[in-house]
Amino acid sequence: MRAIVAAVQRPSVTDAEFDASLTELRQLAKTLGFEVVGRFTQKRPSFDPAAYFGSGKRDELRLMREEHSAGMILIDHEISPSQAFNLATEVGGEVMDRTMVILEIFHRHARSPLARAQVEIARLSYMGPRLREAAKQAGPKDRARSGTGGRSGGESHGELDRRKIRDRMAELQSELDAMALERTTQRARRQERQRLARVALVGYTNAGKSTLMRALTGNEALVADKLFATLDTTVRAMHPETVPRVLVSDTVGFIKNLPHGLVASFKSTLDEALEASLLAHVVDASDPGFERQLAVTEDVLDEIGAKDVPRLLVFNKIDRGGNEEELRAKYPGCIVMSARREGDVARLRKAIAAFFGRDQVEAELFLPWTAQNARGEIFASCTVLEERADGEGAILRVRGDAEVIGRLRASYTRRHE
Ligand SMILES: Nc1nc2c(ncn2[C@@H]2O[C@H](COP(=O)(O)OP(=O)(O)OP(=O)(O)O)[C@@H](O)[C@H]2O)c(=O)[nH]1
Ligand SMILES: [Mg+2]
């Protein structure tokens, strides 16, 4: 379908910001399969309360729409249900705002039951007020048809729809709660078994998180030049394996004005990732708007309570553009790289392993011959540097996380009478 991207520029918004945002809306439109045939803008002190654009501009937009035979107007802001309704009535075609576009992409890309339920809840809470608006516009007619059939006395179609939405949302919420509970128990069990080092790849959508996931772990991950290709958190061990063994999570990308309902619903997906002790914040260094994207990601991370998790700032796609020297000077300690270069990926892997290796200590463990079944645990949780044996058992010189080593030492030390 042909679409026009359209936006009002308020005085507080710079030209660069405004253009970047509209370019992003184009990308979002492309991800949904729209062909963008026009760009329509107006400078205005504020949005028109009735229909977003001023009345003269609405005529212009109608002409432009007709000229390009575009069926869809995409608005680069979240607008109210009545603004959308009035605009569509005057201009013709369908009107979708930024929030709706993003929700639609999430809806199409959701695969797992968890992601599906989360997206559906966010969509329903967005749809609720819009249905109310539609019902209001339908007005008395809607009421006149009511009160028949199986519906309870005097309930209109609109009210019925809204009740259905509320019921469905409650149902989804309890499904989500059940899933969350199950994940918590699974996670607790997993962690009990293996106190593993975890790094989460976070960042703006399309920054290259899944590409890095694939490069770091050797596993398949969905990589696509689309916004929000990934909606679920996946977890894989870094490969080739490092000591300590590090688990990498790939996560859903962020975007400017991420619909609020989505932040809330994806919080549980992200929570799991945010249990990581390190966040590798991936930034597309080749995007002229990378600084804004970086700031948006940091804001969302704050919002979901990850402010204090240590960061490794990773500027990716440097093969496509960006100034390496400037980045290094401005962001001390950052990594500048391309996921397409093996050497760079190895450097990232090393930096991650070094982070988790920083609290490592060496110690000697004694494993009596009667306790050989504990070998597996020791070999899994630390590096065995050296092994000797005497008449009573094995002596292992190991290196690993201070806490893990402390625990092992408590159990496996030679007791001298
Ligand atoms: N030139 C270049 N392209 C890259 C690099 N890393 C990733 N890409 C491309 O960027 C696009 C997006 O990559 P993804 O890994 O899917 O990005 P993502 O961050 O997982 O995106 P979402 O899942 O949508 O949040 C793909 O077309 C990749 O091939 C890089 O270092 N250089
Ligand atoms: Mg991805």
Side-chain angles (χ1 to χ4, degrees):
M1 187 186 310
R2 290 153 168 268
I4 291 172
V5 293
V8 166
Q9 182 177 8
R10 285 169 299 181
S12 60
V13 178
T14 65
D15 289 350
E17 254 177 277
F18 185 71
D19 286 342
S21 186
L22 265 179
T23 305
E24 187 170 275
L25 183 64
R26 262 176 197 273
Q27 273 288 108
L28 290 165
K30 194 183 114 196
T31 299
L32 275 184
F34 291 132
E35 182 194 349
V36 178
V37 292
R39 178 185 193 274
F40 186 86
T41 64
Q42 175 180 25
K43 287 194 176 177
R44 226 173 176 278
S46 63
F47 305 155
D48 180 74
Y52 182 66
F53 285 113
S55 64
K57 275 285 174 177
R58 302 202 286 268
D59 275 342
E60 270 180 46
L61 179 54
R62 182 174 49 77
L63 292 175
M64 181 180 199
R65 191 190 70 73
E66 286 166 1
E67 186 189 330
H68 291 286
S69 43
M72 184 66 76
I73 310 288
L74 303 175
I75 303 293
D76 198 23
H77 287 104
E78 181 169 324
I79 58 178
S80 75
S82 65
Q83 284 172 321
F85 186 91
N86 294 335
L87 189 61
T89 310
E90 276 191 50
V91 173
E94 248 184 275
V95 169
M96 264 172 111
D97 68 1
R98 190 176 231 271
T99 303
M100 187 64 213
V101 170
I102 294 174
L103 283 170
E104 189 58 32
I105 296 176
F106 272 68
H107 175 63
R108 291 199 196 164
H109 290 182
R111 294 282 169 272
S112 72
L114 181 68
R116 279 174 181 277
Q118 285 169 330
V119 173
E120 197 183 339
I121 269 205
R123 281 180 102 217
L124 289 174
S125 68
Y126 175 86
M127 286 316 293
R130 272 130 194 107
L131 282 175
R132 240 184 324 274
E133 181 63 26
K136 206 165 79 196
Q137 300 295 340
K141 259 193 298 169
D142 186 47
R143 281 229 161 257
R145 279 182 311 175
S146 70
T148 53
R151 270 175 281 120
S152 51
E155 195 175 39
S156 72
H157 281 281
E159 281 160 3
L160 183 68
D161 286 344
R162 289 194 305 274
R163 190 156 55 79
K164 274 195 202 143
I165 286 186
R166 270 201 309 277
D167 291 352
R168 178 69 186 135
M169 280 177 76
E171 187 183 17
L172 284 165
Q173 194 53 55
S174 60
E175 278 175 31
L176 281 176
D177 292 345
M179 284 189 251
L181 191 68
E182 191 180 330
R183 283 152 72 96
T184 313
T185 2
Q186 279 174 359
R187 203 151 62 209
R189 230 179 287 144
R190 261 202 314 267
Q191 278 180 342
E192 188 58 36
R193 231 180 315 137
Q194 36 181 201
R195 299 157 167 263
L196 284 169
R198 285 185 65 157
V199 55
L201 300 167
V202 296
Y204 212 75
T205 182
N206 216 39
K209 300 176 293 298
S210 299
T211 309
L212 285 174
M213 173 81 175
R214 185 150 79 174
L216 288 171
T217 66
N219 271 285
E220 279 308 306
L222 177 64
V223 171
D225 194 9
K226 279 184 184 171
L227 304 186
F228 305 113
T230 310
L231 292 188
D232 286 295
T233 300
T234 50
V235 182
R236 303 267 184 275
M238 201 144 78
H239 185 88
E241 264 188 32
T242 49
V243 181
R245 206 159 90 101
V246 176
L247 291 186
V248 186
S249 331
D250 183 16
T251 63
V252 57
F254 300 147
I255 195 164
K256 180 181 81 112
N257 303 339
L258 188 66
H260 227 85
L262 283 182
V263 178
S265 48
F266 275 82
K267 199 172 172 310
S268 63
T269 307
L270 284 163
D271 266 352
E272 188 174 324
L274 299 180
E275 280 178 5
S277 20
L278 176 66
L279 298 181
H281 178 173
V282 184
V283 182
D284 178 351
S286 71
D287 192 307
F290 81 87
E291 281 181 311
R292 192 179 53 90
Q293 301 184 346
L294 192 156
V296 167
T297 303
E298 289 296 335
D299 285 349
V300 180
L301 287 172
D302 273 9
E303 196 174 332
I304 59 178
K307 197 184 176 69
D308 299 324
V309 185
R311 303 288 151 80
L312 179 63
L313 197 51
V314 180
F315 289 102
N316 188 35
K317 303 201 193 181
I318 199 70
D319 58 295
R320 260 179 100 213
N323 185 326
E324 185 158 354
E325 275 68 51
E326 263 176 41
L327 289 171
R328 282 190 204 291
K330 187 153 180 212
Y331 302 93
C334 73
I335 289 193
V336 185
M337 65 171 296
S338 162
R340 306 230 157 128
R341 298 186 199 136
E342 238 171 80
D344 286 7
V345 174
R347 206 153 40 84
L348 175 63
R349 188 183 291 115
K350 227 167 136 181
I352 293 172
F355 174 86
F356 290 103
R358 78 202 184 291
D359 289 331
Q360 294 214 323
V361 293
E362 277 186 30
E364 228 170 52
L365 303 177
F366 174 72
L367 199 58
W369 296 124
T370 51
Q372 292 301 310
N373 52 357
R375 289 180 77 85
E377 184 195 349
I378 294 177
F379 275 80
S381 53
C382 48
T383 334
V384 176
L385 301 168
E386 193 193 326
E387 180 170 359
R388 348 187 266 284
D390 65 15
E392 292 163 50
I395 299 130
L396 305 170
R397 206 155 65 76
V398 296
R399 184 178 166 74
D401 184 74
E403 201 189 319
V404 174
I405 299 285
R407 204 158 38 84
L408 289 171
R409 283 190 65 151
S411 316
Y412 307 113
T413 306
R414 195 194 294 263
R415 321 241 177 254
H416 295 284
E417 294 83 60

